[in-house]
Amino acid sequence: MNIEVSALTSIYHHRTPFEHIALDELTTTFEQGKYYAVIGRTGSGKSTLIQHLNGLILPTRGNVRVGDLVLKKKTKQKVIHQVKKHVGMVFQFPEHQLFDETILKDVMFGPLNMGLSQEEAKERAEKYLSLLGVPLDQIGRSPFDLSGGQMRKIAIAGILAMEPEVLIVDEPTAGLDPKSHIETMKLFKEIQQEFNITIILVTHDMNDVFEYTDEVKLLGSGKLIKEGRTLDILTDEKLLTDHYLEIPDIVRLAHDVSKKGVALNRMPRNTD
Ligand code: ADP
């Protein structure tokens, strides 16, 4: 299922003295099965855009099409509920989304809410908990007894158990140590490849964007500045610098090596 964003304008506090245009006539497409990064400096509109993709915010003008479902200014709750089944969202610090008394119940909540039977929901929960390496003899425990990293896994299992076609991940590595950071990023890549789902990652970490994503959408002041292949966008050092984004280590290194290479060629040779 593709997501098509058409002339999307999003205004906070519309028609009040505090009116603020967060997205301005933005048009783009997210194709099924690809891994996207949404990048841009703070305040460029990333978070507003992703909240439009699963109906958390509705457009002020324009629309968002998720498969056959259309989100626009006055879309009904029933349609938004359908969209949420297709587009899952892992927020920053997903462990804050946990609430139930046991791990199993927590992961079953989403599937039950989608209308699955107890048995089906339990099956789904167990499938995704095992996939994330949570031992099934532990799932009767409270999620709040676990470490931060484990709690995050439970929260992610809860989203995956709804089997969304599109998974939006907002700064998933915030606050993680380097080892958990790599594990988390690898996990999303594996999920994307194994289930052929679309991933839309919002991050400031250009090394992750370089390593894991296929395509980039660069936002600036609520507009789409540039979109295209990750390699093309992340090797455009001027573009990144203009938008206050870091240059990925590997690009910086390649740049340094090529500059040094030129300098070495110019050095006088010892002809003895
Ligand atoms: P990003 O995720 O790229 O940092 P946001 O989508 O959060 O950008 O914000 C885009 C713009 O909208 C910013 O100027 C921000 O200050 C403004 N904004 C975000 N949320 C709100 C809100 N709830 N009320 C008013 N303005 C907001």
Side-chain angles (χ1 to χ4, degrees), residues 93-266:
F93 301 105
E95 57 274 25
H96 296 169
Q97 290 169 258
L98 298 173
F99 65 95
D100 225 317
E101 60 198 83
T102 69
I103 294 172
L104 178 64
K105 280 191 181 171
D106 217 309
V107 179
M108 282 171 66
F109 177 80
L112 284 175
N113 203 27
M114 284 170 64
L116 266 65
S117 70
Q118 285 283 336
E119 211 165 293
E120 288 165 327
K122 185 162 182 275
E123 218 169 88
R124 286 257 188 112
E126 291 182 352
K127 173 176 168 189
Y128 289 97
L129 283 164
S130 324
L131 186 86
L132 297 191
V134 179
L136 291 185
D137 58 358
Q138 304 278 308
I139 61 180
R141 291 176 59 189
S142 161
F144 300 102
D145 292 342
L146 304 173
S147 71
Q150 286 287 4
M151 280 168 78
R152 197 167 280 204
K153 276 192 182 165
I154 309 299
I156 293 170
I159 311 282
L160 291 179
M162 292 188 272
E163 302 196 335
E165 284 114 312
V166 181
L167 186 63
I168 299 173
V169 229
D170 188 3
E171 294 280 1
T173 55
L176 291 183
D177 59 60
K179 184 166 170 272
S180 311
H181 179 130
I182 294 174
E183 278 173 11
T184 306
M185 290 311 299
K186 282 197 168 152
L187 174 69
F188 287 122
K189 186 74 187 172
E190 280 163 22
I191 290 167
Q192 184 239 346
Q193 290 179 332
E194 172 144 358
F195 301 107
N196 189 35
I197 61 177
T198 314
I199 294 198
I200 301 173
L201 167 74
V202 175
T203 184
H204 285 103
D205 189 323
M206 294 305 123
N207 289 324
D208 282 345
V209 175
F210 194 93
E211 181 151 356
Y212 298 103
T213 71
D214 305 314
E215 303 224 349
V216 167
K217 313 274 184 201
L218 169 62
L219 305 192
S221 306
K223 292 184 195 294
L224 183 69
I225 304 291
K226 194 148 185 175
E227 60 185 335
R229 284 194 327 153
T230 298
L231 191 65
D232 296 334
I233 292 185
L234 290 201
T235 48
D236 188 339
E237 295 183 40
K238 182 173 182 314
L239 183 69
L240 295 182
T241 313
D242 284 351
H243 289 272
Y244 302 89
L245 296 165
E246 59 174 340
I247 294 164
D249 292 342
I250 193 158
V251 174
R252 193 188 296 278
L253 194 69
H255 186 124
D256 289 352
V257 166
S258 77
K259 249 171 50 189
K260 276 212 179 88
V262 171
L264 283 173
N265 285 341
R266 286 197 186 140

Side-chain angles (χ1 to χ4, degrees), residues 12-13 20 22 41-48:
Y12 287 107
H13 310 297
H20 183 89
R41 66 183 299 189
T42 302
S44 58
K46 305 181 294 295
S47 165
T48 304

Side-chain angles (χ1 to χ4, degrees), residues 39-89:
I39 62 174
R41 66 183 299 189
T42 302
S44 58
K46 305 181 294 295
S47 165
T48 304
L49 173 62
I50 58 168
Q51 291 181 73
H52 276 283
L53 304 184
N54 86 337
L56 271 173
I57 312 180
L58 291 177
T60 310
R61 290 191 286 274
N63 66 66
V64 175
R65 199 176 270 276
V66 177
D68 294 335
L69 302 164
V70 182
L71 292 167
K72 45 189 186 185
K73 192 170 185 175
K74 293 203 169 135
T75 294
K76 299 217 162 60
Q77 275 303 323
K78 220 170 81 184
V79 177
I80 298 172
H81 188 70
Q82 289 297 320
V83 168
K84 288 192 197 303
K85 287 186 188 173
H86 299 292
V87 185
M89 176 100 83

